[in-house]
Amino acid sequence: MATSMPPRTPLPPLRVPGQPTGGPPPKKRRANESISTWRLTDRIGYFLMWAAGLLVVAIGLGIVGFMAIKGLQYLRPVLLTSHPQADLDQSKSGGFFDPLVGTVLLTVIGIAIATPIAVATAVWIVEYGRPTWLARVIDSGIEIIAGTPDIVLALFGLVLFQQGIFGWMSFRAEDGAVFGRSFLTAGAMMSLIALPMVFAATREGLQAVPAHVREASYGLGKTRAATIRRVLLPSVKSNISTGAALGMGRIAGDTAIVVVLLGASLRLDPEGGIFGILQGTGGTLTSYVYNNSPAGEGNAAQKAYAAAFVLLLIVIGLNFAVDAIARRGARANGIETSRLGGS
Amino acid sequence: MITNDERERRMDPEQQSSSGAVPPPIRRIRVDTSPTVAPSRPTHAAETLRPTRGAAGPERMTIDGLSVFYGPKEAVKQVSLPIRQGEVLALIGPSGCGKTTLLRTLNRLTELTASARREGQITLDGTDIDDIEVTALRRRVSMVFQQPNPFPMSVFDNVAYALREQGSKRPSRKVLEPYVVDALQRAGLYDEVAHDLSHPALRLSGGQQQRLCIARALAAGPEVLLMDEPCSALDPKSTAVIEDLILELRESLAIVIVTHNLQQAHRVGDHVAFMYLGDLVEYAPGDELFTNPRAERTRDYVGGVFG
């Protein structure tokens, strides 16, 4: 141990130009940090941050407000329940019941395929992850899927599902050529849109489970499989739900895959019961909005607005669900989280 | 620029004068004088339950020449210790001295660390622990951790989790209930949770959570209970409750406890082992080690000189 310290000469108080020195401290004000003591650049930065935040809020409110005004103006309950008709006369062209069903159906198929694959992958990466090179390859694989534009995924899906062995997923022409467009094929490609989100949320949740919780389970003589099934998966339930809700929002909002792989038709294919519908083509709210907007055939802007407003409500609803799930999950686990919970 | 904090300090007359004075003297550490061991006062039941010496039961586990390596680093060096039924073995020592590693090796939890390697022999009732199937071993040598870590399920399910076999058939709640209740009673938690066994375990208080973890560990029917600083995250009252519990459990189990709290080691430890940098420096009955340590390092440590 050191015997003694060399004698220390105290430094004179630091003097900074522009700062008042000496004198009694201001009496009335509590010694809180005041912006008036900040550097000019810091003050400018502070106001820019405020401005940026307010701008984002304004844009969001603007979109919702505009869509609400336009949409509510033309939205009638009958539009939600009547089938669309191809008719030049707008009073006879019906509603968007079929696209609404199409959106729900496609979202359910997509998330039903994506969730088990994403969760299994995340569990493998976090709990096993050996050999390391394979974990890295899988990680980049998911990054590639996440980064691929949806139109590229759609074209890739079209080529893939037109192969003979996928004939059961859509239907064949008389010469044996596979059509490749159906709810099943579009849903399979849509699952790739949701997969990275569910994967990321699950992995994050698993990584947040402390090592000693796993060890507590192993320490009770439990196998790895039992630990994953009974301890880890229940722990990350809310993370999985969050990721799934986010992914559903992405699927519901995607257009490219609907146009290329679902046919973007007005009506569902009513032949052959449920499986017939799944093998048939259809459309969603996104393709309906596109087709009816001035960018598409463009002769039914009112209906496009109404449908777009419904779509917006669905996606916003999913986002609120994400927030609620995350907060509830955090409460159930006794963890305090920020209000932003979500992603 | 200066923050308000700095400005205030500069204006504080006391600070001004003290900064001009001689720096405060550094406490000199004297190793040549006899250590001052704080006299233990009977503060709670753990004291009155102090063991009668020489009543130790049969040797359940034997550690023989154990070395543990993390990569090239030797965390535990050639340690040999007996673990006897009916007594508490307390492992003490400064941070990083290998006591937790030693504890985790006893039920092969170190095997979860990829870089860990082990030499030497550990036996449980005469059988090498490497020859016991690992899940069976961990049910016989159970562990309680530093952080209370109940699983995110109900109180009942937490304890039942330890009982349920991994086979295809799961015993029903009715079959399990008496065992769960028994484990909760042994851990001294039953009276507090009896009204609602389906209460989420994570809503319990820290001390209750830790006793739930002890109940969970007891439910597996272990012969040896390992405790890794079980009270370090708890308040003094919960600590006292758990220390009483340890002394009660000692009758039916062999207990090994790692602790940073020397008073706690003195209160609950029938034998105390002092480790330093991976070496076992001294192993002696608790009273002896604290009042009359043989090794100089032990004397320094229990005297509170380094830590």
Side-chain angles (χ1 to χ4, degrees), chain A residues 1-11 13-16 19-26 29-34 36-40 43 130 212-224 226-231 234-235 331-334, chain B residues 1-8 10-11 16 19-21 23 26-29 104 107 109 112-114 133-136 138-139 141-143 145 147-153 157-158 160-167 170 200 202-203 213 216-218 220:
Chain A
M1 276 311 227
T3 48
S4 75
M5 277 201 2
R8 199 166 62 95
T9 44
L11 289 169
L14 179 70
R15 305 223 177 252
V16 178
Q19 270 297 309
T21 51
R29 284 175 54 86
R30 301 245 317 274
N32 283 337
E33 192 175 273
S34 155
S36 62
T37 63
W38 290 15
R39 226 180 245 280
L40 181 64
R43 267 186 266 176
R130 302 269 139 127
H212 62 82
V213 172
R214 293 179 180 81
E215 287 175 354
S217 179
Y218 301 140
L220 291 170
K222 294 293 166 179
T223 58
R224 202 163 258 224
T227 305
I228 290 169
R229 196 158 46 82
R230 298 267 293 132
V231 175
S235 301
R331 241 202 338 268
N333 285 324
Chain B
M1 263 196 206
I2 17 174
T3 64
N4 283 351
D5 192 5
E6 271 171 339
R7 201 185 314 164
E8 258 166 41
R10 198 189 303 159
M11 284 156 190
Q16 290 278 17
S19 64
I26 294 176
R27 189 165 72 105
R28 249 190 86 84
I29 293 158
R104 289 162 57 87
N107 69 351
L109 273 180
L112 298 174
T113 313
E133 205 265 316
V134 67
T135 57
R138 288 178 187 160
R139 245 171 279 140
V141 183
S142 209
M143 180 127 171
F145 294 79
Q147 288 294 325
N149 48 10
F151 303 128
M153 37 178 121
D157 286 336
N158 258 281
Y161 178 69
L163 291 164
R164 290 184 171 127
E165 293 296 314
Q166 283 125 31
R170 277 169 43 153
L202 290 165
R203 301 256 180 91
C213 293
R216 196 172 64 186
L218 292 175

Side-chain angles (χ1 to χ4, degrees), chain A residues 113-148:
Chain A
I113 298 172
T115 306
I117 296 174
V119 171
T121 314
V123 166
W124 185 83
I125 290 258
V126 179
E127 298 307 314
Y128 297 89
R130 302 269 139 127
T132 321
W133 64 264
L134 185 60
R136 265 206 297 271
V137 168
I138 289 174
D139 231 9
S140 10
I142 288 180
E143 264 166 42
I144 289 168
I145 293 174
T148 309

Side-chain angles (χ1 to χ4, degrees), chain A residues 49-231:
Chain A
M49 282 186 275
W50 262 96
L54 290 176
L55 183 70
V56 171
V57 172
I59 292 173
L61 285 179
I63 292 173
V64 174
F66 177 75
M67 291 313 299
I69 292 166
K70 286 285 195 185
L72 287 173
Q73 208 173 331
Y74 303 113
L75 185 62
R76 302 279 173 277
V78 70
L79 287 180
L80 297 174
T81 54
S82 55
H83 295 286
Q85 304 276 346
D87 199 310
L88 282 174
D89 181 356
Q90 280 312 304
S91 62
K92 291 180 189 161
S93 68
F96 41 84
F97 176 72
D98 289 48
L100 191 58
V101 172
T103 294
V104 172
L105 200 56
L106 197 61
T107 307
V108 170
I109 295 170
I111 207 68
I113 298 172
T115 306
I117 296 174
V119 171
T121 314
V123 166
W124 185 83
I125 290 258
V126 179
E127 298 307 314
Y128 297 89
R130 302 269 139 127
T132 321
W133 64 264
L134 185 60
R136 265 206 297 271
V137 168
I138 289 174
D139 231 9
S140 10
I142 288 180
E143 264 166 42
I144 289 168
I145 293 174
T148 309
D150 50 357
I151 186 71
V152 179
L153 284 179
L155 289 174
F156 170 73
L158 190 60
V159 174
L160 179 72
F161 292 122
Q162 278 176 340
Q163 304 302 311
I165 54 162
F166 295 114
W168 59 274
M169 290 178 82
S170 55
F171 54 86
R172 289 170 191 274
E174 265 152 38
D175 61 353
V178 175
F179 190 56
R181 299 178 185 83
S182 75
F183 271 102
L184 288 177
T185 59
M189 263 2 237
M190 279 294 191
S191 71
L192 294 184
I193 301 271
L195 192 139
M197 324 214 82
V198 185
F199 170 80
T202 310
R203 184 175 62 172
E204 203 179 294
L206 285 172
Q207 283 168 341
V209 176
H212 62 82
V213 172
R214 293 179 180 81
E215 287 175 354
S217 179
Y218 301 140
L220 291 170
K222 294 293 166 179
T223 58
R224 202 163 258 224
T227 305
I228 290 169
R229 196 158 46 82
R230 298 267 293 132
V231 175

Side-chain angles (χ1 to χ4, degrees), chain A residues 214-275:
Chain A
R214 293 179 180 81
E215 287 175 354
S217 179
Y218 301 140
L220 291 170
K222 294 293 166 179
T223 58
R224 202 163 258 224
T227 305
I228 290 169
R229 196 158 46 82
R230 298 267 293 132
V231 175
L232 295 176
L233 286 183
S235 301
V236 298
K237 217 165 41 186
S238 69
N239 298 77
I240 297 173
S241 312
T242 306
L246 277 175
M248 285 162 77
R250 289 285 304 276
I251 295 177
D254 194 87
T255 318
I257 292 175
V258 177
V259 171
V260 176
L261 270 176
L262 194 57
S265 56
L266 271 179
R267 286 202 177 191
L268 306 181
D269 230 340
E271 284 166 46
I274 290 287
F275 198 67

